[in-house]
Amino acid sequence: MNERIQRLRTLSMDTHPRISVERAVLVTEFYKENEGKHSTPVLRAMNFQHLCRHQSIYIGDDELIVGERGPAPKAVPTYPELTCHSVEDLEILNSREMANYSITPEEIDIYREQIIPYWRGRSMRDRAFEQIGQEWQQLYSAGLFTEFMEQRAPGHTALDGSIYQKGMLDFKLEIAEARVRLDYLSDPEASAKQEELQAMDVACDAIMEFAARHVDLAEQMAASETYSQRKQELQRIAAVCRHVPAHAPRDFWEALQMYWFVHLGTIMELNGWDSMSPGHLDQHLQPFYEQGLAEGTLTREHAKEMLGCFWVKFNNQPAPPKVGVTAKESGTYNDFTNINLGGLKRDGSDGVSEVSYFILEVLDEMHTLQPQANVQISAKTPDRFLKAAARVIRKGYGYPSVFNADQVIMEQVQMGKTVEDAREGGTSGCVETGCFGKEAYLLTGYLNVPKVMELALNNGVDPLTGELIGLQTGDPEEFTDFEQVYQAFEQQLRYVVETKIAVNNYLEFMYGTYMPAPFLSVVISDCIEKGKDYYNQGPRYNTTYIQCCGIGTVTDSLSALKKHVFEDKSVALDELLAALKDNFTGKEPLRQFLLNRTPCFGNDDEYADSLMQRVYASLLQEIDGHHSTKGKTYHLNMLSTTCHVYFGKMLGATPNGRLAGEPESDGTSPSHGADRHGPTAVVKSLAKMDQAKSGGTLLNQRFLPSVLAGETGIERLTQLIRTYFRLGGHHIQFNVVDTATLRDAQANPANYRDLLVRVAGYSDYFINLDRFHQEEVIARTAQTDSMS
Amino acid sequence: MTSGVVFDIKHYAIHDGPGIRTTIFLKGCPLSCWWCHNPEGLGPEPVVIFHAERCIGCGRCLAACPRQLQGLQNPGCRGCGSCAAVCPTEARQLVGRQMTVQEVMTEIRKSQPFYDQSGGGVTVSGGEPLLQAGFLLELLRRCRQEEIHTAVETSGYIGGDALGQVAKFTDLLLYDLKHMDQEQHLYYTGVSNQLIHLNLQMLFVLGVRVQLRMPIIPGVNDSKDNLRQTAEFILSLPGANELEILPYHSAASEKYRKLGLTYSCVDVLPPDSDSMQQIASFLRKYGLSVKVGG
């Protein structure tokens, strides 16, 4: 990392996130003046244009890639037309300890006086909640599911290579052609399409105007710059912004700036989930890199410097903060840009290039919160690349995460995409499979599957509140065999899923109708051709995901019920139900028995794993193929992000011995501490899930750096990964733990039964070591960290 | 069906031979090395280990004991495991259980895809696995039938033709040289090294694949004299010139306490990596190829 990048990185790391009301003021002023004068798509495009014309622009010292979403780095705008913060929200954000966003009293006054009075009752969120029924509200409040679309626009979008081949002028030409083709005589939607296409055209102009303002600013700054090198850089910035995004980029620098303008456009237009991702960045940059080297205009070092500048830009954009009760909870600044490296090209050849390797180097050197990256490993991916990734993983950043490219492709083909398009797809957000640049794959919220089981064990009553919120599936004390329990679970599941989907569909309709995204629609394939918006069937492919949490917790709980209550009859059902109600108070031996003597998911144990398969099949049955506003687009996803913690808080004690309020199992990982036979057994258990039918699974594995020590550690890790992928795994990521975690492991050993440490000539479980050796391992670990 | 007493099965073993392996620990050992890190594997019979930190004091173990024993590690314990069977927290565990070859094979097969991917396989360790030679042989034969790579970790202290038989069905023997001096060997391990050395010579004459290893126990076997003799002995074996040295570690001391046993190496400090490198260089001067294990 050179000095420029160090300075930029330091500035980005040290700048505290703050809320900027500039966007809210501009949007409010625009709506007051223009609402009712134009069709909704055109109004949205003009709103975007208003922002592009009037919001403050910023070019910082040292920067080579320019443009910010707000007036300065880490100045985060708000989106009152979607969700309007209250004064209390802003005050909480300003004062809370975790994920704090500062805001000045003057800005709060502006919100109180100008923003809130206009948007209360007009924002998407206010309008949606006005319409949502009691059943949904009850389940939502009880923590049965979350709702993605109430605060942020549907997103999880990544781009394909089209923006490196076409500029906005090319897109405008396509739009013009599509408008010529409109058939007003036989297509009943022709007029709607005309409005949408006009909106896209305005959006193209808007982003070019935004770039032109950067040209002007760079030229002004160059004129007054005395230092000649910086003067030249500013002149070059002006030249680059004059060319992109109007035209397709011609070199490495322009390619990065092109992407960045498009990225900014989408996150200025709306606050879509997971911001935006470049997709297969290494594949997109490779031709520009090779051309630069061949022409002698670029060196490897310069390319890395440009990428460092690019990296900082992502880190400058913290996630837009939430509203409502959640503002009191800790959030994250991470907005989940997830760059894909490796994988396959459209023609099925290996996607790894020299660029893939140096992006890994940049990822390692920068190790910022954003962006993050993953590696897509196919059978064709060279071992050298996987090993290079493993060496970064060993540093303990938790990334890159590792995906099975072949499986990711199979999942997409299974959902009906062509194999070529699928290869251009990948994963974004956390683990979500999608077809980059051609698909709207929307997450609609997490589903608390263990809570569904809790309803089945309480005849539809939420034991935390005593309210009847589910179906009355029978008095649990009357259950005489396991099948009755399972049937009750399935009935509750159907009810909860259907209640959620009905509201999802309403929200999707709201976005499609009232909050189109004309700028985003320009860069997603087929929206122009169809004359339809990204949120309204425009993209070539449309998918709607529900993310199911806690399969480990549910499996182990069902396993405990089946084995101890109905088969061995070693625990009486009424005794167990009473213990759950009392959170195992005075029943520690029973709880320990359940924790230690239940066949659990993650041990390559058929008893537990077959129950996992059954639950997974039920989830597929209830979710997959459901209708959205766009057809049968519902699919299952198996990620939890951090929601397993929130869901755990909303869940009483469970039959696997988990105490009330404790986190559920994360992603598709085993319950914490339940997997006691090492990573090979975990991988085998996970492989029994037919992952090709999901839109993503998530497996967390926790290792100590010493287990990955030396070339042997790297080799074995890559072999473990390759084996998992041969068995059909979608994703695996490694938490190479730090000292803080080890301290916690000492204090709460039961949560860390699966933590492997390298002791000497062999590896052992950390909690099985005595204090002295734990201390010794901690000392060694710190050394490894400081050396790395 | 042949059966044996197994006291542990570890998956994802990455340091006991090539690739990703499953290590099977067989109970019972004729040696009693001061530094042994598997004291639960010493005796041939199952024993009860007690993890005090997991105990919640529910008293079920005391009620379950058929001999009505009191106290945590009672000398009267015969290892029946009644207490472990009722312990809800697994604070009391029975270490060692009778398993058939079939049962062990079922465990071994679970990791087959990992062997395929990594060139790994099975390592049988102990204790001294050759004490259960019949069981071991049957296990190795079954692995060979299923084309699973095998390694056996042995002390070499075994009479008769058992070692020769086992060697025929084993792809790799992991063999320790602990001390060259007979008296010292007897003092620290409880047995003489004569049989161990004779067996090793036989194996090299037969052309068996043997990986030689030496645990470095500071103050016990790291004298220049002993290192020199070790090097010379290895080089006298036909075709031998490699040695892996492994640093002593004291991680097992707690296990001794949990088993009610006394740990003899309390005062020994683990060698640091510098001294391991010095020992490696010293040995290399004699023409040995030396690898430092971890």
Side-chain angles (χ1 to χ4, degrees):
Chain A
M1 203 190 308
N2 66 21
E3 283 178 18
R4 177 205 305 275
I5 304 304
Q6 276 175 25
R7 285 193 300 267
L8 283 171
R9 182 176 180 277
T10 304
L11 177 73
S12 183
M13 306 278 277
D14 292 352
T15 304
H16 185 74
R18 67 181 170 91
I19 289 173
S20 160
V21 300
E22 185 182 57
R23 185 186 183 281
V25 169
L26 286 170
V27 169
T28 307
E29 145 194 313
F30 174 83
Y31 265 77
K32 280 182 178 166
E33 173 72 27
N34 291 286
E35 197 177 14
K37 293 185 185 168
H38 309 277
S39 70
T40 303
V42 173
L43 185 78
R44 288 302 301 163
M46 289 175 69
N47 180 62
F48 176 58
Q49 190 171 36
H50 189 69
L51 291 168
C52 287
R53 283 176 179 169
H54 300 290
Q55 75 175 45
S56 308
I57 53 172
Y58 170 92
I59 297 177
D61 290 346
D62 290 315
E63 287 193 329
L64 299 178
I65 302 298
V66 297
E68 289 288 336
R69 175 183 51 184
K74 293 202 168 166
V76 186
T78 55
Y79 302 77
E81 69 269 44
L82 293 171
T83 179
C84 186
H85 290 82
S86 66
V87 167
E88 190 200 5
D89 288 333
L90 297 173
E91 281 167 350
I92 290 168
L93 289 168
N94 189 39
S95 61
R96 72 180 181 188
E97 227 166 273
M98 304 295 291
N100 172 292
Y101 291 79
S102 61
I103 181 167
T104 63
E106 294 73 31
E107 286 186 301
I108 291 182
D109 286 344
I110 291 174
Y111 238 81
R112 183 186 293 112
E113 286 152 23
Q114 298 175 33
I115 313 298
I116 295 170
Y118 183 79
W119 289 107
R120 244 338 135 238
R122 283 193 176 88
S123 75
M124 286 285 280
R125 187 168 193 259
D126 288 354
R127 289 174 66 183
F129 274 109
E130 190 68 22
Q131 295 294 322
I132 292 171
Q134 173 79 6
E135 296 86 355
W136 186 95
Q137 299 270 15
Q138 281 178 331
L139 295 174
Y140 176 73
S141 310
L144 261 303
F145 44 67
T146 64
E147 177 48 64
F148 261 45
M149 293 182 280
E150 49 109 9
Q151 300 215 10
R152 296 187 65 173
H156 310 92
T157 313
L159 295 182
D160 61 9
S162 64
I163 61 161
Y164 306 96
Q165 280 145 23
K166 292 181 215 170
M168 292 299 142
L169 293 173
D170 302 301
F171 286 119
K172 276 174 70 79
L173 198 62
E174 286 182 8
I175 291 165
E177 284 165 3
R179 288 169 86 171
V180 170
R181 281 198 307 271
L182 288 177
D183 178 359
Y184 291 93
L185 297 180
S186 54
D187 180 359
E189 292 181 313
S191 295
K193 289 175 180 174
Q194 143 63 22
E195 293 294 329
E196 177 68 29
L197 287 165
Q198 188 190 333
M200 291 188 210
D201 191 61
V202 171
C204 290
D205 290 339
I207 199 73
M208 289 191 285
E209 290 174 61
F210 187 63
R213 293 179 63 215
H214 286 81
V215 173
D216 294 344
L217 180 59
E219 281 176 343
Q220 280 168 31
M221 290 170 73
S224 57
E225 176 64 53
T226 50
Y227 182 49
S228 73
Q229 190 198 328
R230 184 62 186 158
K231 194 184 195 72
Q232 279 173 20
E233 285 170 3
L234 286 162
Q235 285 163 347
R236 179 73 194 272
I237 288 168
V240 167
C241 296
R242 200 174 286 120
H243 190 77
V244 295
H247 306 278
R250 295 165 301 187
D251 60 25
F252 196 81
W253 189 328
E254 288 179 356
L256 291 175
Q257 185 65 59
M258 175 75 185
Y259 174 79
W260 188 246
F261 275 135
V262 173
H263 183 104
L264 282 181
T266 58
I267 64 175
M268 284 157 59
E269 180 176 48
L270 285 171
N271 63 358
W273 271 102
D274 293 357
S275 61
M276 169 54 97
S277 264
H280 290 284
L281 185 64
D282 52 350
Q283 294 185 26
H284 301 323
L285 294 180
Q286 185 200 359
F288 297 105
Y289 177 68
E290 284 174 0
Q291 179 203 322
L293 287 190
E295 291 172 352
T297 52
L298 188 68
T299 63
R300 193 179 194 277
E301 277 318 294
H302 186 222
K304 273 183 73 176
E305 181 183 41
M306 293 302 305
L307 272 171
C309 293
F310 186 63
W311 237 245
V312 165
K313 284 285 149 189
F314 289 90
N315 201 55
N316 284 351
Q317 322 300 327
K322 288 185 159 188
V323 308
V325 287
T326 50
K328 290 173 196 156
E329 296 163 6
S330 66
T332 175
Y333 295 131
N334 194 353
D335 211 8
F336 304 109
T337 290
N338 197 344
I339 291 167
N340 285 230
L341 301 175
L344 294 177
K345 295 183 179 172
R346 186 172 177 82
D347 64 3
S349 61
D350 173 35
V352 173
S353 68
E354 183 56 22
V355 181
S356 318
Y357 287 97
F358 75 66
I359 293 182
L360 270 182
E361 289 171 27
V362 171
L363 182 74
D364 181 7
E365 289 165 17
M366 298 298 286
H367 58 95
T368 41
L369 181 70
Q370 304 190 88
Q372 301 194 358
N374 66 76
V375 290
Q376 300 277 323
I377 305 299
S378 87
K380 291 181 184 173
T381 306
D383 278 342
R384 184 191 152 211
F385 182 64
L386 179 55
K387 283 186 192 168
R391 291 190 193 103
V392 181
I393 289 168
R394 179 163 64 184
K395 302 280 182 78
Y397 314 130
Y399 55 67
S401 53
V402 190
F403 288 89
N404 181 356
D406 301 316
Q407 186 76 2
V408 167
I409 290 163
M410 198 193 295
E411 289 157 16
Q412 294 180 74
V413 170
Q414 195 267 139
M415 292 181 208
K417 297 160 197 171
T418 70
V419 71
E420 289 86 356
D421 285 353
R423 287 176 186 139
E424 286 189 327
T427 51
S428 64
C430 295
V431 299
E432 300 91 292
T433 298
C435 190
F436 298 165
K438 303 173 190 69
E439 180 174 16
Y441 49 111
L442 314 182
L443 300 197
T444 64
Y446 298 98
L447 180 70
N448 191 346
V449 185
K451 186 85 186 170
V452 174
M453 179 199 65
E454 190 177 58
L455 291 182
L457 292 178
N458 288 279
N459 202 8
V461 172
D462 178 2
L464 270 55
T465 59
E467 277 178 49
L468 177 67
I469 56 169
L471 296 180
Q472 288 183 288
T473 44
D475 179 357
E477 297 201 14
E478 304 293 311
F479 291 153
T480 52
D481 66 31
F482 179 73
E483 285 312 304
Q484 290 172 311
V485 177
Y486 200 83
Q487 278 164 20
F489 167 70
E490 279 194 317
Q491 287 171 35
Q492 299 287 358
L493 180 66
R494 181 166 309 139
Y495 172 71
V496 173
V497 168
E498 287 180 352
T499 306
K500 171 151 186 63
I501 285 181
V503 170
N504 279 358
N505 288 351
Y506 175 69
L507 290 169
E508 279 194 57
F509 154 79
M510 292 275 289
Y511 273 97
T513 310
Y514 303 116
M515 205 47 69
F519 179 72
L520 177 58
S521 302
V522 169
V523 292
I524 300 296
S525 290
D526 294 6
C527 291
I528 295 175
E529 199 183 317
K530 291 186 197 169
K532 290 202 162 203
D533 192 79
Y534 180 80
Y535 292 136
N536 186 27
Q537 306 174 57
R540 186 171 305 167
Y541 306 110
N542 292 280
T543 298
T544 317
Y545 286 130
I546 290 180
Q547 311 97 265
C548 298
C549 292
I551 194 158
T553 305
V554 168
T555 299
D556 300 347
S557 296
L558 292 173
S559 176
L561 284 163
K562 186 172 184 222
K563 173 124 184 84
H564 305 309
V565 174
F566 295 108
E567 284 178 11
D568 295 355
K569 304 195 192 307
S570 52
V571 178
L573 184 56
D574 52 355
E575 182 197 353
L576 177 58
L577 293 171
L580 296 182
K581 277 200 178 73
D582 297 343
N583 196 20
F584 292 107
T585 307
K587 297 276 182 186
E588 187 59 15
L590 171 65
R591 191 176 87 86
Q592 289 293 336
F593 174 80
L594 294 166
L595 278 175
N596 291 302
R597 299 300 167 97
T598 300
C600 288
F601 173 58
N603 295 292
D604 196 11
D605 176 309
E606 275 308 307
Y607 191 93
D609 294 347
S610 61
L611 280 168
M612 174 282 293
Q613 289 171 315
R614 190 171 181 189
V615 173
Y616 184 71
S618 299
L619 294 172
L620 272 173
Q621 166 79 28
E622 296 308 328
I623 293 173
D624 212 64
H626 250 295
H627 273 270
S628 73
T629 55
K630 305 151 188 167
K632 293 181 179 179
T633 66
Y634 268 93
H635 290 289
L636 185 60
N637 217 314
M638 297 299 291
L639 72 148
S640 66
T641 316
T642 54
C643 207
H644 58 284
V645 178
Y646 163 66
F647 278 170
K649 282 183 194 163
M650 306 301 283
L651 181 68
T654 41
N656 62 336
R658 180 194 139 280
L659 290 170
E662 284 187 357
E664 296 174 359
S665 58
D666 65 83
T668 41
S669 309
S671 300
H672 301 116
D675 49 326
R676 299 178 185 183
H677 292 91
T680 58
V682 172
V683 157
K684 287 283 301 295
S685 282
L686 263 288
K688 292 175 197 170
M689 181 181 284
D690 190 355
Q691 302 187 22
K693 290 186 171 169
S694 79
T697 63
L698 185 149
L699 174 58
N700 266 313
Q701 283 287 281
R702 200 189 292 138
F703 279 71
L704 266 187
S706 45
V707 182
L708 307 182
E711 275 308 287
T712 307
I714 292 292
E715 238 171 61
R716 298 294 171 268
L717 181 74
T718 58
Q719 289 158 346
L720 180 74
I721 294 167
R722 289 275 193 192
T723 309
Y724 183 42
F725 289 177
R726 273 176 60 183
L727 296 175
H730 168 88
H731 156 276
I732 187 166
Q733 65 189 19
F734 299 90
N735 201 350
V736 184
V737 290
D738 57 13
T739 302
T741 310
L742 293 174
R743 290 286 174 217
D744 194 40
Q746 288 180 317
N748 305 292
N751 297 340
Y752 292 90
R753 294 189 75 143
D754 53 345
L755 177 58
L756 272 174
V757 296
R758 179 141 171 75
V759 180
Y762 64 97
S763 298
D764 209 338
Y765 287 108
F766 179 76
I767 62 153
N768 285 353
L769 301 178
D770 64 33
R771 200 78 182 180
F772 174 77
H773 287 91
Q774 288 183 344
E775 291 296 334
E776 199 250 342
V777 167
I778 290 170
R780 270 197 264 158
T781 307
Q783 238 174 17
T784 310
D785 284 346
S786 64
M787 280 159 61
S788 59
Chain B
M1 173 57 80
T2 322
S3 68
V5 182
V6 175
F7 73 89
D8 202 2
I9 296 178
K10 276 191 172 16
H11 298 272
Y12 200 64
I14 60 175
H15 303 283
D16 304 331
I20 295 173
R21 311 189 70 80
T22 300
T23 303
I24 314 290
F25 294 85
L26 302 194
K27 226 170 131 31
C29 187
L31 279 65
S32 47
C33 307
W34 283 29
W35 52 87
C36 177
H37 58 253
N38 288 329
E40 72 275 35
L42 283 171
E45 300 298 329
V47 289
V48 171
I49 190 164
F50 178 62
H51 305 280
E53 73 282 3
R54 294 185 198 161
C55 180
I56 54 170
C58 69
R60 292 182 183 190
C61 51
L62 299 177
C65 181
R67 299 170 70 90
Q68 281 104 45
L69 297 176
Q70 298 293 317
L72 303 178
Q73 270 117 15
N74 197 300
C77 176
R78 294 291 175 270
C80 74
S82 303
C83 54
V86 298
C87 176
T89 64
E90 296 188 328
R92 282 184 177 276
Q93 282 179 315
L94 190 63
V95 182
R97 67 179 179 115
Q98 204 80 39
M99 289 181 83
T100 64
V101 169
Q102 189 56 44
E103 285 169 331
V104 178
M105 285 308 296
T106 303
E107 277 300 309
I108 288 172
R109 286 186 199 113
K110 285 183 174 175
S111 288
Q112 181 69 50
F114 301 92
Y115 314 148
D116 291 349
Q117 184 69 44
S118 69
V122 172
T123 298
V124 189
S125 180
E128 169 50 62
L130 277 108
L131 275 193
Q132 303 185 48
F135 176 65
L136 174 63
L137 263 175
E138 183 60 24
L139 198 59
L140 294 169
R141 280 203 193 97
R142 293 293 291 274
C143 286
R144 183 149 296 178
Q145 272 172 17
E146 299 184 19
E147 299 184 33
I148 297 170
H149 181 276
T150 53
V152 171
E153 207 171 1
T154 180
S155 66
Y157 188 78
I158 202 81
D161 66 344
L163 187 57
Q165 287 291 317
V166 164
K168 275 187 210 160
F169 290 95
T170 307
D171 297 307
L172 176 68
L173 281 176
L174 304 169
Y175 206 105
D176 279 7
L177 287 173
K178 299 181 169 86
H179 211 299
M180 295 308 295
D181 183 274
Q182 257 196 66
E183 292 299 312
Q184 295 281 303
H185 198 282
L186 182 63
Y187 181 71
Y188 285 114
T189 73
V191 302
S192 150
N193 60 12
Q194 260 183 317
L195 180 60
I196 294 169
H197 292 179
L198 280 172
N199 274 333
L200 189 58
Q201 281 159 340
M202 172 205 64
L203 290 170
F204 272 92
V205 170
L206 292 174
V208 173
R209 264 205 76 196
V210 179
Q211 186 179 329
L212 287 172
R213 308 196 300 187
M214 178 181 184
I216 300 295
I217 324 291
V220 173
N221 65 357
D222 62 343
S223 72
K224 287 195 172 160
D225 204 36
N226 187 51
L227 294 172
R228 178 184 51 79
Q229 286 182 42
T230 305
E232 286 169 357
F233 176 64
I234 293 170
L235 292 166
S236 76
L237 300 165
N241 74 336
E242 288 179 7
L243 177 68
E244 183 177 14
I245 55 172
L246 304 163
Y248 160 80
H249 61 83
S250 54
S253 58
E254 186 71 0
K255 273 201 264 183
Y256 282 81
R257 204 179 54 74
K258 291 178 174 184
L259 289 159
L261 301 173
T262 313
Y263 187 48
S264 310
C265 269
V266 269
D267 298 330
V268 180
L269 288 173
D272 58 24
S273 68
D274 281 354
S275 47
M276 289 301 287
Q277 289 305 334
Q278 279 170 17
I279 291 170
S281 323
F282 181 81
L283 289 165
R284 285 186 190 118
K285 278 192 267 177
Y286 293 90
L288 270 190
S289 165
V290 183
K291 194 183 147 200
V292 180

